[in-house]
Amino acid sequence: MTRAILILNGPNLNLLGTRQPEIYGPTTLADIEALCADKAKALNVSLDFQQSNHEGALIDAIHEARGKYAGIILNAGAFTHTSVALMDAISSAMVPVVELHLSNIHAREEFRKTSFIAPVAIGQICGFGAAGYPLAMDALLSYLGEGS
Ligand code: DQA
């Protein structure tokens, strides 16, 4: 199996660092990418780290992941709560997906408690801020049976 994973970030996550830091913390997406690159080295996996504000681009990335990545870590941002299309893409791509959020979506507004990703994900990590990213990498590798 390919020891390559994809971390896919959805809308507005490019603004991390200045976007509602009281909720999402002071860490920028570039900081998170660096954190994940270090973790990938430690886990001996190759990593692609992407972000898009566009639902269709995220769907394309999930389709293209098939056969290329052993798994995906997906922070779908607000599309988590709205996108049947992303849910269908995950169902169709046959690549395991870990759902990830910086904030605890279950402790916020009611609409954030609904996730269209959760039913098709292998699991969900939320509420740990930037630290959730390396945790999700451990979780994915453990699921794949290639843990550290
Ligand atoms: C988020 C939570 C979502 O509800 C929100 O729309 C985001 C970020 C998180 O990482 O906590 O954009 O996915």
Side-chain angles (χ1 to χ4, degrees):
M1 184 187 297
T2 334
R3 285 176 61 93
I5 65 173
L6 172 64
I7 299 184
L8 194 53
N9 295 282
N12 303 307
L13 292 167
N14 55 312
L15 299 181
L16 285 177
T18 57
R19 174 194 182 198
Q20 297 178 282
E22 69 286 2
I23 296 175
Y24 298 115
T27 315
T28 67
L29 196 62
D31 293 335
I32 292 176
E33 183 171 2
L35 189 69
C36 293
D38 285 348
K39 182 72 179 177
K41 238 179 238 168
L43 292 173
N44 194 31
V45 293
S46 72
L47 172 69
D48 280 340
F49 192 95
Q50 299 176 17
Q51 188 274 333
S52 176
N53 292 320
H54 304 280
E55 190 176 14
L58 295 168
I59 291 167
D60 287 344
I62 292 167
H63 291 178
E64 287 159 19
R66 193 172 177 169
K68 189 170 169 195
Y69 300 104
I72 302 172
I73 294 164
L74 174 64
N75 185 347
F79 291 143
T80 303
H81 318 298
T82 61
S83 182
V84 176
L86 268 180
M87 178 175 76
D88 285 349
I90 294 166
S91 299
S92 312
M94 313 224 298
V95 180
V97 170
V98 175
E99 177 181 1
L100 174 67
H101 303 283
L102 294 148
S103 64
N104 180 355
I105 57 171
H106 304 288
R108 299 181 61 193
E109 302 95 326
E110 274 306 306
F111 69 86
R112 292 189 206 274
K113 295 179 184 169
T114 298
S115 168
F116 284 94
I117 309 301
V120 292
I122 56 178
Q124 182 190 73
I125 292 175
C126 69
F128 296 100
Y133 280 76
L135 287 173
M137 293 169 76
D138 277 331
L140 179 59
L141 271 281
S142 163
Y143 173 83
L144 294 169
E146 300 171 24
S148 49

